[in-house]
């Protein structure tokens, strides 16, 4: 059977656009300038004083001629052609005075903020209660007074404070708490902190509470351990269906040498035990037969 030739696509040359010099000049005379896709905020003059240069005003009309006229009308770009040629011939460089719109660089003392005070309300450091600012101290004591994050957020908004989110409030208090606890440990070692009577009297009750809770968790872990033992046995012996508690009792009986002899090792079997052994062997053989059987493709 002869092969069919591939479809040959015909191109209409009459519809092609030819780029000519006239078309290029026309596009340059009527150039279109699109606005930037992203709007950027000006740089902070205190942090980027050396980069905060004056920016020329954008042309109002979107034509190349208007833009050239605008640039030529600016004083800082108004340079005499004869003066430029003389500078090029003599190969001399002229220095211009810095623009007055550029702010001076702040001193080192003003740039560095010590202690726990933030820089522009950002990057606040963790510190002890005595060195906290007003907002952090208020969050700390409101959380100690059992205020919720939602209530603290509403209070800050109503008083015109920093608009912390509810999640941020909880995170900040958690970090404060951990920092103050570590700081108190160091103070106790140095002798600059003490246990008060109200705190020390709670130690026995707190110890009993923690012991009871840990004991419940230990019992739950112990139960989980024997459940894993039962799962392991059932994985290797599919027909062995024993609970974790049954595994624990049997293991303790084996450890104390009180476990009964398995039927496979007994010389004389009672009719009841012999029936159990025969049924077990039948189940194991059937499971092995199913394991070797052909399985449907899914």
């Amino acid at each position: 059977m002869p092969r069919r030739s591939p479809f040959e696509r015909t191109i209409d040359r009459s519809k092609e656009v030819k780029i000519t010099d006239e078309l290029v000049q026309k596009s340059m005379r009527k150039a279109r300038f699109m606005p930037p896709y992203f709007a950027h905020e000006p740089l902070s003059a205190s942090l980027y004083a050396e980069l905060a240069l004056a920016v020329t005003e954008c042309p109002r009309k979107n034509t190349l001629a208007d833009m050239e006229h605008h640039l030529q009308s600016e004083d800082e770009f108004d340079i005499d052609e004869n003066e430029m040629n003389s500078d090029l011939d003599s190969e001399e460089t002229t220095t211009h005075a810095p623009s007055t719109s550029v702010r001076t660089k702040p001193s080192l003392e003003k740039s560095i903020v010590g202690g726990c005070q933030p820089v522009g309300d950002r990057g606040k450091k963790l510190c002890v209660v005595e060195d906290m600012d007003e907002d952090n101290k208020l969050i700390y004591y409101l959380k100690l007074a059992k205020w919720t994050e939602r209530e603290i957020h509403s209070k800050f908004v109503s008083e015109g404070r920093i608009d912390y989110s509810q999640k941020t409030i909880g995170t900040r208090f958690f970090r404060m708490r951990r920092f103050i606890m570590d700081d108190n440990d160091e103070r106790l070692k140095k002798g600059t902190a003490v246990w008060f009577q109200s705190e020390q009297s709670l130690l026995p009750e707190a110890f009993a509470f923690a012991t009871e809770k840990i004991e419940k968790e230990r019992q739950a872990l112990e139960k989980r351990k024997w459940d894993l033992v039962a799962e392991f046995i059932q994985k290797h012996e599919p027909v062995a269906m024993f609970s974790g508690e049954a595994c624990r009792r049997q293991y303790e009986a084996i450890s104390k040498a009180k476990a009964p002899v398995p039927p496979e090792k007994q010389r004389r079997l009672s009719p009841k035990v012999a029936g159990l052994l025969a049924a077990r062997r039948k189940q194991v053989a059937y499971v092995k037969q199913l394991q070797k059987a052909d399985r449907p493709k899914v």
Side-chain angles (χ1 to χ4, degrees):
M1 182 177 180
R3 295 179 58 185
R4 293 187 301 175
S5 60
F7 176 76
E8 296 182 359
R9 182 181 178 183
T10 59
I11 301 176
D12 188 2
R13 299 293 181 179
S14 61
K15 295 183 179 180
E16 291 184 350
V17 178
K18 297 181 180 180
I19 301 177
T20 60
D21 295 340
E22 182 181 359
L23 183 61
V24 173
Q25 294 176 3
K26 182 179 179 181
S27 62
M28 293 180 64
R29 288 194 302 268
K30 297 182 179 181
R32 293 181 298 176
F33 295 91
M34 300 300 294
Y37 189 76
F38 296 101
H40 299 280
E41 296 181 357
L43 297 176
S44 176
S46 59
L47 299 178
Y48 304 96
E50 298 179 355
L51 301 179
L53 301 178
V55 181
T56 59
E57 184 181 358
C58 296
R60 297 182 180 180
K61 296 182 179 180
N62 297 331
T63 60
L64 183 60
D66 293 336
M67 186 175 183
E68 293 177 353
H69 176 72
H70 176 78
L71 293 177
Q72 292 177 1
S73 62
E74 294 291 338
D75 295 337
E76 53 186 304
F77 294 99
D78 190 11
I79 304 175
D80 190 4
E81 184 177 358
N82 297 328
E83 183 181 356
M84 182 184 296
N85 295 333
S86 62
D87 292 340
L88 292 176
D89 295 336
S90 60
E91 296 182 358
E92 294 179 357
T93 58
T94 58
T95 58
H96 300 277
S99 176
T100 56
S101 61
V102 179
R103 297 185 180 181
T104 58
K105 186 177 181 180
S107 60
L108 184 62
E109 292 78 6
K110 295 182 180 180
S111 300
I112 300 177
V113 181
C116 303
Q117 297 299 325
V119 179
D121 291 335
R122 294 183 181 276
K124 296 186 178 181
K125 300 179 181 179
L126 292 176
C127 53
V128 293
V129 181
E130 295 81 4
D131 298 333
M132 287 183 182
D133 60 3
E134 184 179 356
D135 291 336
N136 278 337
K137 189 177 295 185
L138 183 58
I139 291 176
Y140 178 73
Y141 282 110
L142 287 176
K143 287 295 295 181
L144 294 183
K146 308 300 182 182
W147 281 48
T148 63
E149 285 81 3
R150 179 177 297 181
E151 294 171 345
I152 297 175
H153 173 74
S154 300
K155 179 178 177 62
F156 270 56
V157 172
S158 62
E159 295 181 359
R161 299 177 181 270
I162 299 177
D163 188 10
Y164 288 124
S165 64
Q166 299 180 26
K167 183 178 180 180
T168 303
I169 292 173
T171 304
R172 292 185 72 83
F173 175 73
F174 177 78
R175 295 173 59 205
M176 292 176 191
R177 181 172 174 269
R178 294 302 308 175
F179 182 86
I180 294 175
M181 289 171 63
D182 295 339
D183 182 72
N184 281 337
D185 290 347
E186 295 296 329
R187 292 189 179 189
L188 287 172
K189 295 177 182 179
K190 297 178 181 179
T192 57
V194 295
W195 282 82
F196 295 98
Q197 176 62 28
S198 59
E199 303 162 350
Q200 187 168 333
S201 61
L202 290 174
L203 269 178
E205 183 180 355
F207 179 80
F209 167 77
T211 303
E212 181 181 359
K213 190 171 183 179
I214 293 299
E215 180 62 23
K216 291 181 180 180
E217 294 179 359
R218 189 195 65 80
Q219 293 177 2
L221 289 175
E222 186 74 12
K223 182 179 181 302
R224 175 58 179 162
K225 180 183 72 173
W226 290 110
D227 289 341
L228 291 175
V229 172
E231 292 177 6
F232 183 88
I233 295 176
Q234 199 271 331
K235 181 179 179 180
H236 292 78
E237 288 291 334
V239 295
M241 297 294 177
F242 297 108
S243 65
E245 180 64 19
C247 294
R248 184 189 65 81
R249 292 196 301 264
Q250 184 68 11
Y251 182 82
E252 292 178 354
I254 294 174
S255 301
K256 298 177 182 179
K258 296 182 179 180
V261 180
E264 293 85 349
K265 294 184 178 181
Q266 295 182 12
R267 294 183 178 180
R268 296 180 180 180
L269 298 177
S270 62
K272 184 177 181 180
V273 176
L276 293 176
L277 181 59
R280 174 59 180 271
R281 289 175 175 174
K282 185 178 180 179
Q283 292 177 358
V284 172
Y286 184 62
V287 170
K288 290 182 178 180
Q289 180 183 355
L290 293 178
Q291 290 177 349
K292 297 179 181 180
D294 295 335
R295 304 184 184 185
K297 295 181 180 180
V298 293

